[in-house]
Amino acid sequence: MAVSAIFAAVMSSVSDSAFTSYEPTVAPVAATHIGSPRRFFIETYGCQMNFNDSEIIASVLSAEGFQLTTDCQQADVVLLNTCSIRENAEQRVRARLSEFQSLKRHNPGVLVGILGCMAERLKAKLLEEEHIVDLVVGPDAYRSLPQLIARAESGQKAVNVLLSREETYADISPVRLASNGVTAFISIMRGCNNMCSFCVVPFTRGRERSRPPASILSEARQLFDSGYREVTLLGQNVDSYRWEDPATHAVVTFAQLLDQVASVHSELRIRFSTSHPKDITDDVLSVMADHPNICRNIHLPVQSGSSAVLQRMFRTYDADWYRRKVDRIREYLPDCAISTDIIVGFCGETEDDHRQTLEMMDYVRYHQAFMFRYSERPGTYAARHFPDDVPDAVKSRRLQEVIQLQNAHQLQRNREQIGKIHHVLVEGPSRRSPQQLAGRNSQNQMIVFDARQALKGRYVQVKAVSCTSATLIGTLCPEPTKHLND
Ligand code: 5AD
Ligand code: SF4
């Protein structure tokens, strides 16, 4: 994990099995070199959206006859699906590119592609800055990847960074990569219309657009039928989901979509991310309350506990408003966990502003938090109008304080669970020991326990007996439960 992006807890980098029913809308490209299929290697940086995009990319290429390889030495095409959110995310990609220099020296025919947010932000400039790069492909241009590869093979550099107002890749069934066979992502919308002053995403991912509900529901059903038991609905701002039927003009909101996905099967768990505090509605909370299979966990990025900082961030709420939103969630869903994102050291942040962030954390006692030092991003409103004036040492110290407090809250929260029985979806072996299984409760707390491996993908009851700040340690109760609400 990069220095300025220290995560208090590790999000599951889930994904899964394989079915590809993609009808190419692009002219087919012969994907064989004198009989042997060409191989592509893909490495993903950044958020869950990006991981899901890599699964779409794998689907587009597989449909054209390319074969996935997990060994970059074997690849004909090496793709990096990149992130621009903080400077260090881009530095990691550039460092990786310099490692690929030797790969290209040994095999001059290998093509190197930069995909995703960094491609969109830097466009053709990337070709000048990084000579090793042959392809630059933005997040809305993945359908054209086979043609771009063909062009690069003919010795020309290939760039497509066109953003779209419509593209949702709705008809593409992702090829599940690094699958645990139990949990999967489903993208429900793309882009972001919020212009938070610190954020580069609206520039790299374009305007919001929602995917038709029928394709989302069919993906959820297919996943359930192939053994998956949890889906996470993904979008930069899921509560802005809004789909209008072109024929009837009937509108489907996020609350309605959530209700429909939760009705696919009572044993399919639903999570969603990310919610902007200004957009999550009572309707969404009420649908959650109606469906025990919608997990009791809302990711509600606060960014700062200071109203003055929130105003400069263009977050459109202040600290009191956010606290009232948290109260509202707890009225509807008393057992709901809340997780968050926090940025320390934003432009002009004073010690008093920072203290207010710590106070907000004390108020909410987040179950999980992703905590970052502010990183100025070229082109954003903040970069153009506010000096990045909090010294590095101060940012680091504030980040440490936020992390320490978060760890203390997580430890408290986990201790409160000791002695209680949890409904756990088993995801697979724990990372520490093959004798142990790991899974999550509805609140997204990780629980490890001794058990035989055959329980993977099943719901079980586990009694928590001890904990660390990151994990509950439990013992399996004798009778596995079949139903979430047993
Ligand atoms: N610097 C630091 N963190 C950032 N984030 C977004 N932009 C920046 C930036 N310029 C964080 C926010 C957001 C999360 C995905 O990344 O907290 O919610
Ligand atoms: Fe994801 Fe944001 Fe990074 Fe783009 S910039 S890959 S949307 S985290």
Side-chain angles (χ1 to χ4, degrees):
M1 198 60 54
V3 207
S4 72
I6 300 169
F7 286 57
V10 180
M11 297 272 280
S12 57
S13 66
V14 267
S15 308
D16 10 88
S17 99
F19 39 81
T20 307
S21 65
Y22 166 58
E23 289 280 304
T25 55
V26 292
V29 175
T32 50
H33 266 330
I34 325 164
S36 63
R38 280 174 299 164
R39 280 167 293 205
F40 70 100
F41 167 88
I42 185 158
E43 199 164 87
T44 310
Y45 297 78
C47 62
Q48 295 167 323
M49 277 302 277
N50 248 18
F51 280 83
N52 191 235
D53 277 4
S54 291
E55 298 180 333
I56 287 166
I57 292 160
S59 182
V60 169
L61 291 178
S62 302
E64 294 292 330
F66 287 83
Q67 247 176 32
L68 181 69
T69 170
T70 50
D71 176 5
C72 63
Q73 309 284 341
Q74 302 289 318
D76 303 295
V77 185
V78 169
L79 302 171
L80 301 185
N81 191 4
T82 62
C83 174
S84 287
I85 197 122
R86 284 166 289 275
E87 194 185 353
N88 61 26
E90 292 197 358
Q91 280 164 355
R92 282 173 66 205
V93 171
R94 289 189 193 267
R96 190 70 172 128
L97 280 176
S98 56
E99 286 170 24
F100 286 135
Q101 303 273 12
S102 69
L103 193 75
K104 207 150 183 166
R105 260 197 306 277
H106 289 117
N107 176 7
V110 70
L111 297 177
V112 176
I114 295 290
L115 317 183
C117 290
M118 214 172 145
E120 194 61 51
R121 194 179 85 71
L122 295 163
K123 303 185 170 58
K125 218 163 87 184
L126 254 178
L127 298 175
E128 290 157 30
E129 292 173 3
E130 304 285 351
H131 293 285
I132 187 180
V133 174
D134 305 289
L135 296 153
V136 177
V137 189
D140 288 346
Y142 298 144
R143 285 180 202 268
S144 65
L145 208 43
Q147 284 95 334
L148 295 170
I149 291 173
R151 186 184 163 90
E153 276 170 347
S154 73
Q156 301 168 69
K157 301 271 177 179
V159 180
N160 186 349
V161 287
L162 281 178
L163 284 175
S164 156
R165 282 183 177 257
E166 284 93 34
E167 181 62 272
T168 59
Y169 300 110
D171 55 324
I172 298 181
S173 292
V175 167
R176 304 290 167 179
L177 303 170
S179 164
N180 65 8
V182 180
T183 59
F185 298 129
I186 301 182
S187 284
I188 62 162
M189 62 173 304
R190 299 177 74 82
C192 181
N193 289 356
N194 296 319
M195 288 301 247
C196 298
S197 61
F198 52 81
C199 191
V200 78
V201 169
F203 305 99
T204 60
R205 294 226 157 221
R207 309 289 294 167
E208 280 173 7
R209 65 224 98 120
S210 299
R211 179 176 167 189
S215 74
I216 297 169
L217 287 166
S218 112
E219 193 171 331
R221 281 192 206 103
Q222 271 181 310
L223 285 165
F224 185 80
D225 292 344
S226 355
Y228 289 84
R229 290 296 174 262
E230 182 179 297
V231 295
T232 302
L233 308 181
L234 290 181
Q236 256 82 35
N237 186 12
V238 286
D239 298 278
S240 299
Y241 179 89
R242 189 182 181 282
W243 189 78
E244 190 177 322
D245 188 310
T248 63
H249 300 290
V251 167
V252 177
T253 63
F254 179 59
Q256 290 162 336
L257 177 76
L258 199 53
D259 185 49
Q260 291 173 20
V261 180
S263 306
V264 163
H265 201 288
S266 61
E267 282 190 41
L268 182 67
R269 267 186 175 180
I270 321 297
R271 300 188 186 275
F272 56 88
S273 186
T274 293
S275 294
H276 193 297
K278 80 173 163 53
D279 294 321
I280 186 164
T281 60
D282 283 3
D283 284 351
V284 168
L285 302 179
S286 158
V287 169
M288 288 179 77
D290 287 347
H291 292 277
N293 57 328
I294 304 180
C295 290
R296 293 337 192 201
N297 180 32
I298 296 179
H299 188 62
L300 199 71
V302 65
Q303 311 299 359
S304 168
S306 152
S307 296
V309 172
L310 288 169
Q311 196 174 23
R312 282 199 298 283
M313 287 177 162
F314 300 161
R315 288 292 287 176
T316 73
Y317 55 83
D318 64 14
D320 279 340
W321 194 95
Y322 182 92
R323 273 189 276 270
R324 284 201 299 277
K325 187 55 88 179
V326 168
D327 296 345
R328 194 77 176 153
I329 292 171
R330 291 187 173 148
E331 270 168 44
Y332 273 89
L333 305 156
D335 59 344
C336 190
I338 299 177
S339 56
T340 204
D341 294 342
I342 294 173
I343 299 178
V344 303
F346 184 64
C347 314
E349 186 188 73
T350 62
E351 281 307 315
D352 191 51
D353 292 324
H354 171 60
R355 186 187 50 74
Q356 290 179 51
T357 297
L358 299 174
E359 278 173 13
M360 178 65 86
M361 295 175 72
D362 280 332
Y363 185 83
V364 185
R365 291 205 307 133
Y366 293 106
H367 275 68
Q368 195 180 26
F370 300 91
M371 298 159 284
F372 314 103
R373 303 147 50 105
Y374 171 60
S375 162
E376 186 177 86
R377 305 312 292 130
T380 56
Y381 187 94
R384 286 181 288 120
H385 296 92
F386 306 137
D388 181 10
D389 54 1
V390 177
D392 266 357
V394 175
K395 283 184 185 169
S396 298
R397 195 251 306 150
R398 289 182 188 166
L399 183 61
Q400 280 316 311
E401 288 174 6
V402 164
I403 290 169
Q404 248 173 24
L405 185 57
Q406 180 57 28
N407 284 343
H409 286 158
Q410 276 182 217
L411 186 60
Q412 259 176 21
R413 289 261 181 217
N414 280 353
R415 280 194 179 138
E416 287 163 10
Q417 298 308 318
I418 293 176
K420 295 188 182 155
I421 292 177
H422 298 263
H423 299 285
V424 174
L425 173 60
V426 182
E427 291 180 18
S430 90
R431 273 189 298 164
R432 293 251 170 89
S433 149
Q435 267 75 45
Q436 283 192 319
L437 289 179
R440 285 160 209 276
N441 63 11
S442 178
Q443 287 74 14
N444 210 27
Q445 288 167 302
M446 176 65 80
I447 307 192
V448 298
F449 54 97
D450 291 342
R452 60 199 166 82
Q453 301 295 319
L455 290 173
K456 185 175 166 188
R458 301 272 300 272
Y459 291 104
V460 294
Q461 287 189 303
V462 181
K463 184 173 180 177
V465 293
S466 64
C467 70
T468 66
S469 63
T471 313
L472 290 166
I473 295 127
T475 53
L476 184 65
C477 299
E479 282 300 305
T481 48
K482 270 210 89 204
H483 296 283
L484 275 176
N485 33 357
D486 277 355

PDB file of all heavy atoms in Angstrom, residues 85-86 198-200 301 303 341-343 372-377, ligand 1:
ATOM      1  N   ILE A  85      -6.028   8.833  -8.828  1.00  0.00           N
ATOM      2  CA  ILE A  85      -6.682   9.572  -7.739  1.00  0.00           C
ATOM      3  C   ILE A  85      -5.698  10.342  -6.863  1.00  0.00           C
ATOM      4  O   ILE A  85      -5.995  11.434  -6.416  1.00  0.00           O
ATOM      5  CB  ILE A  85      -7.595   8.628  -6.927  1.00  0.00           C
ATOM      6  CG1 ILE A  85      -8.572   9.440  -6.087  1.00  0.00           C
ATOM      7  CG2 ILE A  85      -6.826   7.687  -6.043  1.00  0.00           C
ATOM      8  CD1 ILE A  85      -9.982   9.142  -6.363  1.00  0.00           C
ATOM      9  N   ARG A  86      -4.530   9.738  -6.627  1.00  0.00           N
ATOM     10  CA  ARG A  86      -3.473  10.452  -5.894  1.00  0.00           C
ATOM     11  C   ARG A  86      -2.176  10.313  -6.678  1.00  0.00           C
ATOM     12  O   ARG A  86      -2.019   9.373  -7.456  1.00  0.00           O
ATOM     13  CB  ARG A  86      -3.308   9.864  -4.484  1.00  0.00           C
ATOM     14  CG  ARG A  86      -4.404  10.291  -3.522  1.00  0.00           C
ATOM     15  CD  ARG A  86      -4.432   9.467  -2.266  1.00  0.00           C
ATOM     16  NE  ARG A  86      -4.912   8.124  -2.553  1.00  0.00           N
ATOM     17  CZ  ARG A  86      -6.190   7.781  -2.607  1.00  0.00           C
ATOM     18  NH1 ARG A  86      -7.124   8.662  -2.350  1.00  0.00           N
ATOM     19  NH2 ARG A  86      -6.555   6.545  -2.901  1.00  0.00           N
ATOM     20  N   PHE A 198     -11.261  18.544  -4.849  1.00  0.00           N
ATOM     21  CA  PHE A 198      -9.975  17.842  -4.792  1.00  0.00           C
ATOM     22  C   PHE A 198      -9.873  16.724  -5.819  1.00  0.00           C
ATOM     23  O   PHE A 198      -8.814  16.135  -5.996  1.00  0.00           O
ATOM     24  CB  PHE A 198      -9.770  17.225  -3.391  1.00  0.00           C
ATOM     25  CG  PHE A 198     -10.944  16.372  -2.929  1.00  0.00           C
ATOM     26  CD1 PHE A 198     -11.089  15.071  -3.369  1.00  0.00           C
ATOM     27  CD2 PHE A 198     -11.902  16.890  -2.060  1.00  0.00           C
ATOM     28  CE1 PHE A 198     -12.165  14.299  -2.972  1.00  0.00           C
ATOM     29  CE2 PHE A 198     -12.984  16.121  -1.646  1.00  0.00           C
ATOM     30  CZ  PHE A 198     -13.123  14.822  -2.108  1.00  0.00           C
ATOM     31  N   CYS A 199     -10.967  16.386  -6.495  1.00  0.00           N
ATOM     32  CA  CYS A 199     -11.044  15.070  -7.148  1.00  0.00           C
ATOM     33  C   CYS A 199     -10.902  15.110  -8.670  1.00  0.00           C
ATOM     34  O   CYS A 199     -11.521  15.911  -9.362  1.00  0.00           O
ATOM     35  CB  CYS A 199     -12.360  14.406  -6.782  1.00  0.00           C
ATOM     36  SG  CYS A 199     -12.382  12.687  -7.293  1.00  0.00           S
ATOM     37  N   VAL A 200     -10.132  14.182  -9.177  1.00  0.00           N
ATOM     38  CA  VAL A 200      -9.834  14.113 -10.599  1.00  0.00           C
ATOM     39  C   VAL A 200     -10.836  13.214 -11.347  1.00  0.00           C
ATOM     40  O   VAL A 200     -10.909  13.228 -12.568  1.00  0.00           O
ATOM     41  CB  VAL A 200      -8.365  13.612 -10.766  1.00  0.00           C
ATOM     42  CG1 VAL A 200      -8.256  12.111 -10.557  1.00  0.00           C
ATOM     43  CG2 VAL A 200      -7.764  14.021 -12.082  1.00  0.00           C
ATOM     44  N   PRO A 301     -18.566   8.400   2.640  1.00  0.00           N
ATOM     45  CA  PRO A 301     -17.349   9.196   2.817  1.00  0.00           C
ATOM     46  C   PRO A 301     -17.640  10.569   3.408  1.00  0.00           C
ATOM     47  O   PRO A 301     -18.478  11.306   2.890  1.00  0.00           O
ATOM     48  CB  PRO A 301     -16.805   9.329   1.384  1.00  0.00           C
ATOM     49  CG  PRO A 301     -17.354   8.138   0.670  1.00  0.00           C
ATOM     50  CD  PRO A 301     -18.725   7.929   1.255  1.00  0.00           C
ATOM     51  N   GLN A 303     -14.943  12.726   4.352  1.00  0.00           N
ATOM     52  CA  GLN A 303     -13.774  13.517   3.876  1.00  0.00           C
ATOM     53  C   GLN A 303     -13.185  14.402   4.964  1.00  0.00           C
ATOM     54  O   GLN A 303     -11.976  14.432   5.145  1.00  0.00           O
ATOM     55  CB  GLN A 303     -14.098  14.340   2.622  1.00  0.00           C
ATOM     56  CG  GLN A 303     -14.798  13.582   1.492  1.00  0.00           C
ATOM     57  CD  GLN A 303     -14.019  12.420   0.905  1.00  0.00           C
ATOM     58  OE1 GLN A 303     -12.915  12.152   1.322  1.00  0.00           O
ATOM     59  NE2 GLN A 303     -14.604  11.697  -0.036  1.00  0.00           N
ATOM     60  N   ASP A 341     -14.396   7.541   4.018  1.00  0.00           N
ATOM     61  CA  ASP A 341     -13.102   7.991   3.493  1.00  0.00           C
ATOM     62  C   ASP A 341     -12.794   9.322   4.181  1.00  0.00           C
ATOM     63  O   ASP A 341     -13.690  10.155   4.336  1.00  0.00           O
ATOM     64  CB  ASP A 341     -13.174   8.270   1.991  1.00  0.00           C
ATOM     65  CG  ASP A 341     -13.432   7.022   1.147  1.00  0.00           C
ATOM     66  OD1 ASP A 341     -13.225   5.909   1.640  1.00  0.00           O
ATOM     67  OD2 ASP A 341     -13.848   7.189  -0.017  1.00  0.00           O
ATOM     68  N   ILE A 342     -11.534   9.509   4.535  1.00  0.00           N
ATOM     69  CA  ILE A 342     -11.122  10.763   5.182  1.00  0.00           C
ATOM     70  C   ILE A 342      -9.862  11.279   4.492  1.00  0.00           C
ATOM     71  O   ILE A 342      -8.927  10.514   4.239  1.00  0.00           O
ATOM     72  CB  ILE A 342     -10.830  10.525   6.685  1.00  0.00           C
ATOM     73  CG1 ILE A 342     -12.129  10.146   7.410  1.00  0.00           C
ATOM     74  CG2 ILE A 342     -10.188  11.765   7.336  1.00  0.00           C
ATOM     75  CD1 ILE A 342     -11.940   9.733   8.857  1.00  0.00           C
ATOM     76  N   ILE A 343      -9.868  12.566   4.187  1.00  0.00           N
ATOM     77  CA  ILE A 343      -8.654  13.203   3.644  1.00  0.00           C
ATOM     78  C   ILE A 343      -8.109  14.132   4.723  1.00  0.00           C
ATOM     79  O   ILE A 343      -8.850  14.969   5.252  1.00  0.00           O
ATOM     80  CB  ILE A 343      -8.969  14.031   2.384  1.00  0.00           C
ATOM     81  CG1 ILE A 343      -9.533  13.127   1.272  1.00  0.00           C
ATOM     82  CG2 ILE A 343      -7.734  14.779   1.902  1.00  0.00           C
ATOM     83  CD1 ILE A 343      -9.920  13.867  -0.003  1.00  0.00           C
ATOM     84  N   PHE A 372      -6.470   9.130   3.884  1.00  0.00           N
ATOM     85  CA  PHE A 372      -5.501   9.603   2.895  1.00  0.00           C
ATOM     86  C   PHE A 372      -4.953  10.975   3.268  1.00  0.00           C
ATOM     87  O   PHE A 372      -5.669  11.787   3.839  1.00  0.00           O
ATOM     88  CB  PHE A 372      -6.167   9.736   1.520  1.00  0.00           C
ATOM     89  CG  PHE A 372      -7.007   8.564   1.119  1.00  0.00           C
ATOM     90  CD1 PHE A 372      -8.398   8.622   1.200  1.00  0.00           C
ATOM     91  CD2 PHE A 372      -6.424   7.392   0.667  1.00  0.00           C
ATOM     92  CE1 PHE A 372      -9.177   7.536   0.818  1.00  0.00           C
ATOM     93  CE2 PHE A 372      -7.197   6.303   0.286  1.00  0.00           C
ATOM     94  CZ  PHE A 372      -8.570   6.378   0.360  1.00  0.00           C
ATOM     95  N   ARG A 373      -3.696  11.228   2.854  1.00  0.00           N
ATOM     96  CA  ARG A 373      -3.188  12.603   2.865  1.00  0.00           C
ATOM     97  C   ARG A 373      -3.658  13.251   1.572  1.00  0.00           C
ATOM     98  O   ARG A 373      -3.678  12.604   0.528  1.00  0.00           O
ATOM     99  CB  ARG A 373      -1.657  12.619   2.823  1.00  0.00           C
ATOM    100  CG  ARG A 373      -0.955  11.877   3.893  1.00  0.00           C
ATOM    101  CD  ARG A 373       0.346  11.280   3.352  1.00  0.00           C
ATOM    102  NE  ARG A 373       1.151  12.257   2.648  1.00  0.00           N
ATOM    103  CZ  ARG A 373       2.243  12.806   3.137  1.00  0.00           C
ATOM    104  NH1 ARG A 373       2.688  12.438   4.325  1.00  0.00           N
ATOM    105  NH2 ARG A 373       2.920  13.676   2.458  1.00  0.00           N
ATOM    106  N   TYR A 374      -3.973  14.521   1.676  1.00  0.00           N
ATOM    107  CA  TYR A 374      -4.386  15.236   0.461  1.00  0.00           C
ATOM    108  C   TYR A 374      -3.246  15.231  -0.545  1.00  0.00           C
ATOM    109  O   TYR A 374      -2.095  15.483  -0.217  1.00  0.00           O
ATOM    110  CB  TYR A 374      -4.798  16.674   0.797  1.00  0.00           C
ATOM    111  CG  TYR A 374      -5.029  17.512  -0.440  1.00  0.00           C
ATOM    112  CD1 TYR A 374      -6.000  17.156  -1.373  1.00  0.00           C
ATOM    113  CD2 TYR A 374      -4.257  18.649  -0.698  1.00  0.00           C
ATOM    114  CE1 TYR A 374      -6.204  17.900  -2.526  1.00  0.00           C
ATOM    115  CE2 TYR A 374      -4.461  19.408  -1.846  1.00  0.00           C
ATOM    116  CZ  TYR A 374      -5.435  19.018  -2.762  1.00  0.00           C
ATOM    117  OH  TYR A 374      -5.627  19.765  -3.894  1.00  0.00           O
ATOM    118  N   SER A 375      -3.591  14.946  -1.807  1.00  0.00           N
ATOM    119  CA  SER A 375      -2.617  14.935  -2.894  1.00  0.00           C
ATOM    120  C   SER A 375      -3.179  15.838  -3.991  1.00  0.00           C
ATOM    121  O   SER A 375      -4.253  15.557  -4.530  1.00  0.00           O
ATOM    122  CB  SER A 375      -2.470  13.484  -3.367  1.00  0.00           C
ATOM    123  OG  SER A 375      -1.892  13.409  -4.631  1.00  0.00           O
ATOM    124  N   GLU A 376      -2.470  16.895  -4.289  1.00  0.00           N
ATOM    125  CA  GLU A 376      -2.990  17.845  -5.278  1.00  0.00           C
ATOM    126  C   GLU A 376      -3.009  17.210  -6.673  1.00  0.00           C
ATOM    127  O   GLU A 376      -2.028  16.618  -7.109  1.00  0.00           O
ATOM    128  CB  GLU A 376      -2.103  19.091  -5.307  1.00  0.00           C
ATOM    129  CG  GLU A 376      -2.672  20.171  -6.195  1.00  0.00           C
ATOM    130  CD  GLU A 376      -1.823  21.430  -6.146  1.00  0.00           C
ATOM    131  OE1 GLU A 376      -0.851  21.510  -6.914  1.00  0.00           O
ATOM    132  OE2 GLU A 376      -2.133  22.311  -5.328  1.00  0.00           O
ATOM    133  N   ARG A 377      -4.134  17.324  -7.353  1.00  0.00           N
ATOM    134  CA  ARG A 377      -4.264  16.744  -8.690  1.00  0.00           C
ATOM    135  C   ARG A 377      -4.423  17.851  -9.723  1.00  0.00           C
ATOM    136  O   ARG A 377      -5.348  18.694  -9.606  1.00  0.00           O
ATOM    137  CB  ARG A 377      -5.476  15.788  -8.764  1.00  0.00           C
ATOM    138  CG  ARG A 377      -5.501  14.684  -7.742  1.00  0.00           C
ATOM    139  CD  ARG A 377      -4.196  13.908  -7.601  1.00  0.00           C
ATOM    140  NE  ARG A 377      -3.846  13.096  -8.752  1.00  0.00           N
ATOM    141  CZ  ARG A 377      -2.658  13.112  -9.349  1.00  0.00           C
ATOM    142  NH1 ARG A 377      -1.686  13.909  -8.917  1.00  0.00           N
ATOM    143  NH2 ARG A 377      -2.421  12.349 -10.377  1.00  0.00           N
TER     144      ARG A 377
HETATM  145  N1  5AD B   1      -6.113  13.402  -2.435  1.00  0.00           N
HETATM  146  C1  5AD B   1      -6.325  12.471  -1.465  1.00  0.00           C
HETATM  147  N2  5AD B   1      -7.393  11.678  -1.446  1.00  0.00           N
HETATM  148  C2  5AD B   1      -8.288  11.803  -2.434  1.00  0.00           C
HETATM  149  N3  5AD B   1      -9.455  11.158  -2.669  1.00  0.00           N
HETATM  150  C3  5AD B   1      -9.976  11.639  -3.808  1.00  0.00           C
HETATM  151  N4  5AD B   1      -9.187  12.605  -4.322  1.00  0.00           N
HETATM  152  C4  5AD B   1      -8.133  12.729  -3.474  1.00  0.00           C
HETATM  153  C5  5AD B   1      -6.984  13.557  -3.451  1.00  0.00           C
HETATM  154  N5  5AD B   1      -6.781  14.485  -4.386  1.00  0.00           N
HETATM  155  C6  5AD B   1     -10.022  10.144  -1.768  1.00  0.00           C
HETATM  156  C7  5AD B   1     -11.405  10.555  -1.265  1.00  0.00           C
HETATM  157  C8  5AD B   1     -12.317   9.655  -2.035  1.00  0.00           C
HETATM  158  C9  5AD B   1     -11.464   8.405  -2.175  1.00  0.00           C
HETATM  159  C10 5AD B   1     -11.898   7.470  -3.247  1.00  0.00           C
HETATM  160  O1  5AD B   1     -10.187   8.931  -2.471  1.00  0.00           O
HETATM  161  O2  5AD B   1     -11.448  10.295   0.105  1.00  0.00           O
HETATM  162  O3  5AD B   1     -13.526   9.398  -1.361  1.00  0.00           O
END
